[in-house]
């Protein structure tokens, strides 16, 4: 019984990951709504009536966390700026450093427009990633990156809102562990709404282009 549940859960995760990937490789450029529509159709959900508020598939939402200087911040703290949101942890051996380097390169690519972007690195390992640890880590990539941590409950709620997955996995003896986690970069609009999603491996230039075209359209 337990085994069946485990396999069902694993199957569901693989299915969802494949869905994300299928959407992401379709290329940059589509509006958040178009992306949401593709996601809805992929998941077999019926599209909403024209003009309705959304698909009920919301990605993102309210959060309350602690930034890398120790201040409490919420999603509203970043309203009026575009948000690039990435979930990971500072002890991550491979994917996180690569993705943060990509975010940093995208900010560089944006030039002055980067001032309109808040690039958030939200840890899924709050036990080890204190504000101080986060501050030292994110500044290795770009001084503009903002590290966010919180209580386990705050992190869980934020990850749930963004449909991000993470799981603590024991490695070897003693207390050693690593975190399995999904690895998407989310682009949220100045109103906090979902705009675009980038799978790991997306080029910085493509992320910058997506942001730049949206800024152009909104001004
Ligand atoms: Ni990672």
């Amino acid at each position: 019984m337990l085994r069946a549940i485990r396999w069902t859960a694993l199957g569901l995760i693989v299915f969802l990951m494949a869905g994300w990937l299928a959407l992401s490789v379709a290329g940059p450029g589509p509006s958040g709504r178009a992306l949401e529509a593709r996601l809805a159709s992929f998941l077999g959900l019926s599209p909403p009536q024209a003009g309705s508020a959304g698909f009920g598939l919301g990605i993102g939402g309210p959060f309350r966390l602690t930034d890398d200087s120790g201040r409490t911040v919420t999603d509203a703290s970043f309203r009026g700026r575009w948000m690039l949101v990435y979930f990971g942890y500072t002890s991550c051996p491979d994917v996180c450093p690569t993705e943060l380097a990509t975010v940093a390169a995208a900010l560089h690519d944006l030039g002055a427009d980067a001032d309109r972007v808040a690039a958030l690195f939200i840890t899924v390992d709050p036990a080890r990633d204190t504000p101080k640890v986060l501050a030292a880590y994110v500044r290795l990539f770009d001084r503009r990156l903002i590290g966010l941590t919180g209580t386990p409950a705050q992190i869980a709620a934020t990850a749930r809102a963004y449909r991000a997955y993470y799981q603590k996995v024991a490695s070897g003896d003693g207390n050693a562990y690593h975190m399995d986690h999904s690895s998407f970069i989310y682009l949220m609009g100045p109103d906090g709404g979902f705009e675009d999603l980038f799978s790991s491996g997306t080029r910085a230039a493509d992320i910058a282009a997506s942001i730049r075209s949206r800024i152009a359209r909104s001004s």
Side-chain angles (χ1 to χ4, degrees):
M1 182 63 182
L2 251 181
R3 170 169 296 196
I5 292 170
R6 213 174 291 142
W7 279 108
T8 305
L10 182 66
L12 190 63
I13 288 164
V14 169
F15 175 78
L16 288 173
M17 297 288 248
W20 285 123
L21 196 66
L23 288 167
S24 310
V25 297
S31 73
R33 172 145 298 209
L35 191 72
E36 221 177 355
R38 293 216 303 271
L39 182 59
S41 99
F42 181 84
L43 293 175
L45 303 172
S46 49
Q49 303 299 313
S52 72
F55 291 77
L57 262 182
I59 292 176
F63 60 76
R64 175 175 289 270
L65 295 166
T66 302
D67 76 8
D68 57 47
S69 66
R71 275 185 304 239
T72 296
V73 294
T74 70
D75 54 301
S77 309
F78 305 103
R79 214 42 52 78
R81 298 170 77 188
W82 300 78
M83 291 194 297
L84 277 176
V85 181
Y86 183 75
F87 291 84
Y89 67 116
T90 66
S91 323
C92 181
D94 40 36
V95 181
C96 291
T98 306
E99 293 308 298
L100 286 184
T102 298
V103 171
L107 291 177
H108 184 261
D109 194 328
L110 282 168
D113 280 340
D115 293 345
R116 305 169 69 166
V117 179
L120 310 181
F121 177 63
I122 303 178
T123 184
V124 295
D125 185 16
R128 290 187 292 202
D129 289 344
T130 61
K132 198 175 164 190
V133 168
L134 279 171
Y137 184 73
V138 297
R139 301 288 120 72
L140 295 174
F141 298 90
D142 192 294
R143 60 177 175 77
R144 294 168 292 191
L145 288 180
I146 300 165
L148 298 177
T149 187
T151 65
Q154 287 174 327
I155 297 295
T158 308
R160 207 178 308 123
Y162 279 82
R163 311 290 194 256
Y165 155 87
Y166 64 97
Q167 178 73 51
K168 184 174 174 174
V169 180
S171 43
D173 299 330
N175 297 322
Y177 66 91
H178 66 273
M179 305 297 293
D180 276 350
H181 65 94
S182 55
S183 193
F184 294 96
I185 298 169
Y186 307 83
L187 175 64
M188 313 301 287
D191 61 353
F194 172 69
E195 287 282 337
D196 208 352
L197 180 69
F198 311 100
S199 60
S200 63
T202 301
R203 296 181 322 136
D206 291 336
I207 295 173
S210 173
I211 297 172
R212 202 178 285 116
S213 72
R214 286 176 166 77
I215 288 177
R217 258 185 277 152
S218 68
S219 58

